[in-house]
Amino acid sequence: MRNFAIPLILLPILIFFNLSIFLKEDLRRNGDLILIELALVDPRSLMQGDYMRLRYKLIEEANKTLNAEVGEESADTQVTALVLALAQNKQATFKRLHHGEALGDGEQLLSVQHRRLAKPQRLKLTPTSFFFQEGHASLYQEARFGLMRVAADGAHLLVGLADDEGRPITP
């Protein structure tokens, strides 16, 4: 009996992890590449090595909109995505909170985490850190955009940082 129980328990776990890896790799290869403007960033950590703490300008704008809405009428609202407007150069700007309505031309969903218990309520876009090889901090200090691959449903993956002209920063 034990000879069958262990594989039966491990099989769903292995399937789950392999599926999640496959989905992330598919997003990395096939997702739409967009530029998300960064706010001021902190480029160092003594305990973890070289990394950059990321803040996104569009999240700051979305949080202002969220708290204006919550203060007015929709305290029950659960926001799971933002609607972004995409410029010709693929630079994304915050357009509105997504409440299930259809998207228009040039719009893209971006999934977020909604911290409803925080006062004021906050939206969070992950990841909030970008790790890089030790000694390359000077290359990334001038980063202005996060390069994200985004799927139609708003799932996203940070794939790098870009300079003020949208060119990927590579060591």
Side-chain angles (χ1 to χ4, degrees), residues 6-170:
I6 292 173
L8 286 176
I9 293 170
L10 290 177
L11 187 63
I13 294 170
L14 290 173
I15 290 172
F16 171 78
F17 282 116
N18 282 313
L19 181 62
S20 66
I21 291 168
F22 173 78
L23 292 174
K24 288 289 184 186
E25 283 297 318
D26 184 52
L27 178 59
R28 188 177 66 80
R29 281 190 207 101
N30 302 320
D32 295 330
L33 188 65
I34 64 171
L35 299 168
I36 297 181
E37 190 171 2
L38 299 172
L40 294 175
V41 291
D42 178 18
R44 198 106 171 124
S45 169
L46 294 175
M47 296 301 288
Q48 296 173 305
D50 285 350
Y51 87 107
M52 186 169 284
R53 184 116 176 108
L54 302 176
R55 288 186 22 229
Y56 305 95
K57 282 193 174 184
L58 60 84
I59 285 295
E60 293 172 358
E61 297 170 28
N63 279 324
K64 289 177 188 173
T65 303
L66 172 69
N67 285 298
E69 275 190 20
V70 168
E72 291 172 6
E73 75 275 348
S74 49
D76 292 358
T77 300
Q78 176 68 28
V79 177
T80 59
L82 306 179
V83 176
L84 307 178
L86 297 178
Q88 290 286 29
N89 65 353
K90 295 294 186 178
Q91 183 176 345
T93 54
F94 172 71
K95 192 164 183 183
R96 67 182 181 276
L97 301 175
H98 187 250
H99 298 294
E101 67 278 5
L103 298 179
D105 290 338
E107 292 183 339
Q108 172 68 53
L109 281 182
L110 184 68
S111 61
V112 292
Q113 296 171 354
H114 186 172
R115 298 183 171 194
R116 296 178 68 183
L117 299 179
K119 298 295 180 201
Q121 291 188 27
R122 309 281 305 156
L123 298 173
K124 181 180 175 185
L125 177 61
T126 56
T128 58
S129 299
F130 179 77
F131 289 86
F132 48 85
Q133 185 175 344
E134 189 173 337
H136 290 170
S138 60
L139 291 172
Y140 292 101
Q141 280 181 328
E142 303 302 319
R144 181 156 174 236
F145 295 101
L147 290 168
M148 290 214 182
R149 293 279 181 184
V150 183
D153 67 354
H156 60 277
L157 184 66
L158 181 70
V159 294
L161 298 180
D163 63 14
D164 58 349
E165 294 180 17
R167 293 184 306 246
I169 300 172
T170 55

